[in-house]
Amino acid sequence: MMQRHVSIGRARAASVVAGLIILAPPALAQSPKIGDPPEANNMRLIGYNDLHGRSAYQPTIHHQGSRYIAYVGHHGGTPEVPQPINRLTGRAENNGTSIVDVTDPTQPKYLAHIPGLQGHYEEGGAQMVRVCDGKTLPKGDASKTYLLRVFGGRAHEIWDVTDPAKPTLLTKIVEGLKDTHKSWWECDTGIAYLVSGVEGWRVKRMTQVFDLSDPSKPVHIRDFGLIGQEPGSTGAVPTELHGPISTGPQGNRVYFGYGTNKGGVLQIVDREKLLNGPKEPTPENLRYPVVGQLDMLPFNGAHTVFPMPKMPIAEFAKDKDGKVRDFVMIVDEQILNECQEARQLVFFVDVTIESRPMVVSNFSVPEASGNFCQRGGRFGSHSSNESMAPVFYKKIAFIAYFNAGVRAVDVRNPYQPKEIGYFIPPITEATDKRCIKVDGVDRCKTAIQSNNVETDDRGYIYVVDRANTGMHILELSGEARAVAGLQ
């Protein structure tokens, strides 16, 4: 099948609408060049924002009143551009949180930027964002909307974003941390699982559980982690937390992913026992809420652990037993550039019997399909969309794959996941270089680094770039739309 390409303008444009679709040869054999079109199959570009040239991590798309607002967390700046210019104010600011109105996805409008912690790359910024409405939170102000975000690796904060163009700081939840990362917030209960580095714990990332049902009055519930991470323990230290996903009181499970590119662990936890069980971090108390655990290979991690419970398997429809199964999709994170480590993949785990989780399949992008190891930057999986809106949930997963862009994967049969589309954005003048050492000398290439991806309940896909290229807004086309049941 020939690939479909969509022409877009320069990254410096604030937004762009998809243009002429043309046919082109197969994927680029060499590193991409400025001016090359995007590479696409069954996905098309409909809108774009360059996010002021800031390295982006987590996008959260929130249906806020009559509008849709994208809240985008950023890594820190670069040594060359430590503080990009906020074009709304003309001020140089530490990378933090971009707020973009995407009500019309073809014309995204940049509304505000909240500066983050000073620092380069992982040392600064405000990578993680979650958003809840006060009318949904048990004790929130029904007229307000709240943003939970990290402040670099040092703190967790809550901002009032009722007017997304005029965010105001509401409270600091906790400060003085060793690190932070990919937290989760239950809007219907207010319970938040914060990735933190608490002094005394043996890792930089573990879990602090807070009650944020009243965002102005955070209440600490407990600290949690793997046995061997807790204060006072001895011996080998298990790999640190990357991030949790909760199914809330209805599902009564919290899925924790530990490790990024090595020593991965999937931990399945009884939510009720976690919240109401004994809280002192002793080995016995840390073990108490755990109902299942999968220890992965030493060279694979668990960046995102996405639950897909009660999936009917069409192939098993006539079987007496096992026609409905529970799954967790584990997405590893590639760390090193140009394939200088073991390949990170997407694994599908059958957790129907939680005490015996079993990997039943995997998904990966063939390297030869785009000569991705030679293109520059990272090649491998990183993250998936996390929205559980019905439009895509348990049908299509979107995987950010660094220099291979975003991949659309049919997951209706998790035993046989199948790619049905992809979109690799073009590089621009703003795209940052990625380097490796060759004979002691830096060899640098410029390549797209699709970092995180999210979807909304309308069926739009948002992919943001780690290498400063901005946010691309996509939709499915061709046969992929039929898989999702879209018109």
Side-chain angles (χ1 to χ4, degrees), residues 201-203 225-238 281-283 286:
W201 281 71
R202 302 174 72 202
V203 289
L226 293 173
I227 295 171
Q229 296 178 338
E230 74 277 11
S233 59
T234 59
V237 182
T282 64
L286 295 177

Side-chain angles (χ1 to χ4, degrees), residues 17-303:
V17 181
L20 180 65
I21 299 176
I22 60 174
L23 295 178
L28 301 175
Q30 303 299 324
S31 296
K33 303 182 298 297
I34 294 173
D36 287 339
E39 301 159 66
N41 176 43
N42 286 336
M43 297 181 75
R44 59 180 169 236
L45 178 70
I46 62 166
Y48 171 75
N49 189 278
D50 74 353
L51 302 177
H52 293 180
R54 302 180 192 272
S55 173
Y57 183 72
Q58 180 66 34
T60 292
I61 317 304
H62 188 64
H63 189 184
Q64 190 165 331
S66 61
R67 297 195 290 175
Y68 283 81
I69 308 296
Y71 296 89
V72 183
H74 293 289
H75 299 285
T78 66
E80 295 77 18
V81 188
Q83 294 181 310
I85 298 297
N86 180 340
R87 298 192 203 118
L88 299 176
T89 64
R91 293 193 296 265
E93 294 176 348
N94 297 324
N95 284 357
T97 308
S98 287
I99 304 176
V100 184
D101 189 325
V102 293
T103 307
D104 178 356
T106 69
Q107 296 290 332
K109 181 182 179 183
Y110 200 98
L111 299 178
H113 175 255
I114 311 172
L117 180 68
Q118 183 176 359
H120 302 152
Y121 304 115
E122 297 282 352
E123 298 302 317
Q127 297 179 31
M128 194 60 217
V129 288
R130 300 292 186 193
V131 183
C132 289
D133 289 319
K135 64 184 179 183
T136 306
L137 292 164
K139 301 176 184 178
D141 184 331
S143 67
K144 294 186 178 299
T145 299
Y146 302 96
L147 168 74
L148 168 67
R149 75 165 194 166
V150 302
F151 184 71
R154 300 293 175 260
H156 295 281
E157 306 174 332
I158 294 182
W159 287 70
D160 182 338
V161 291
T162 306
D163 181 349
K166 298 178 181 178
T168 58
L169 180 63
L170 181 64
T171 187
K172 294 268 190 181
I173 301 168
V174 59
E175 300 182 79
L177 301 172
K178 294 185 289 185
D179 205 359
T180 63
H181 208 49
K182 201 169 171 50
S183 303
W184 187 265
W185 193 11
E186 299 173 2
C187 291
D188 55 348
T189 69
I191 300 299
Y193 309 87
L194 306 182
V195 179
S196 298
V198 175
E199 197 62 45
W201 281 71
R202 302 174 72 202
V203 289
K204 292 198 304 179
R205 294 177 183 170
M206 33 69 72
T207 302
Q208 289 188 292
V209 184
F210 272 83
D211 181 349
L212 302 181
S213 58
D214 180 348
S216 66
K217 298 177 181 177
V219 177
H220 178 247
I221 296 175
R222 71 173 298 175
D223 295 339
F224 184 72
L226 293 173
I227 295 171
Q229 296 178 338
E230 74 277 11
S233 59
T234 59
V237 182
T239 185
E240 64 190 19
L241 176 69
H242 197 277
I245 293 180
S246 171
T247 61
Q250 297 80 14
N252 193 37
R253 290 293 181 267
V254 185
Y255 299 88
F256 292 90
Y258 296 85
T260 48
N261 64 330
K262 58 186 176 183
V265 176
L266 162 65
Q267 189 181 53
I268 308 171
V269 170
D270 184 302
R271 177 185 177 277
E272 183 70 21
K273 290 181 178 180
L274 175 69
L275 298 182
N276 299 311
K279 297 176 175 56
E280 184 68 21
T282 64
E284 295 75 22
N285 293 348
L286 295 177
R287 185 181 299 112
Y288 173 70
V290 179
V291 296
Q293 184 166 311
L294 173 67
D295 296 328
M296 301 173 68
L297 292 171
F299 47 76
N300 288 116
H303 177 286

Side-chain angles (χ1 to χ4, degrees), residues 343-358:
R343 186 74 52 81
Q344 301 300 310
L345 313 173
V346 181
F347 294 101
F348 292 83
V349 183
D350 189 326
V351 296
T352 308
I353 301 175
E354 293 177 309
S355 62
R356 296 185 180 182
M358 180 178 178

Side-chain angles (χ1 to χ4, degrees), residues 262-387:
K262 58 186 176 183
V265 176
L266 162 65
Q267 189 181 53
I268 308 171
V269 170
D270 184 302
R271 177 185 177 277
E272 183 70 21
K273 290 181 178 180
L274 175 69
L275 298 182
N276 299 311
K279 297 176 175 56
E280 184 68 21
T282 64
E284 295 75 22
N285 293 348
L286 295 177
R287 185 181 299 112
Y288 173 70
V290 179
V291 296
Q293 184 166 311
L294 173 67
D295 296 328
M296 301 173 68
L297 292 171
F299 47 76
N300 288 116
H303 177 286
T304 305
V305 287
F306 187 66
M308 300 185 294
K310 297 181 173 56
M311 289 193 68
I313 309 300
E315 175 62 26
F316 303 157
K318 297 179 181 179
D319 294 352
K320 181 175 182 289
D321 299 312
K323 61 186 70 178
V324 177
R325 307 277 180 103
D326 298 333
F327 294 90
V328 173
M329 180 177 66
I330 301 178
V331 187
D332 308 346
E333 179 182 356
Q334 201 77 39
I335 295 293
L336 300 182
N337 296 332
E338 298 191 38
C339 303
Q340 299 297 300
E341 63 175 336
R343 186 74 52 81
Q344 301 300 310
L345 313 173
V346 181
F347 294 101
F348 292 83
V349 183
D350 189 326
V351 296
T352 308
I353 301 175
E354 293 177 309
S355 62
R356 296 185 180 182
M358 180 178 178
V359 175
V360 296
S361 67
N362 69 76
F363 167 78
S364 65
V365 175
E367 190 279 332
S369 67
N371 293 314
F372 292 111
C373 284
Q374 284 72 51
R375 285 196 182 199
R378 305 184 194 186
F379 167 60
S381 59
H382 182 207
S383 64
S384 73
N385 65 304
E386 296 175 349
S387 171

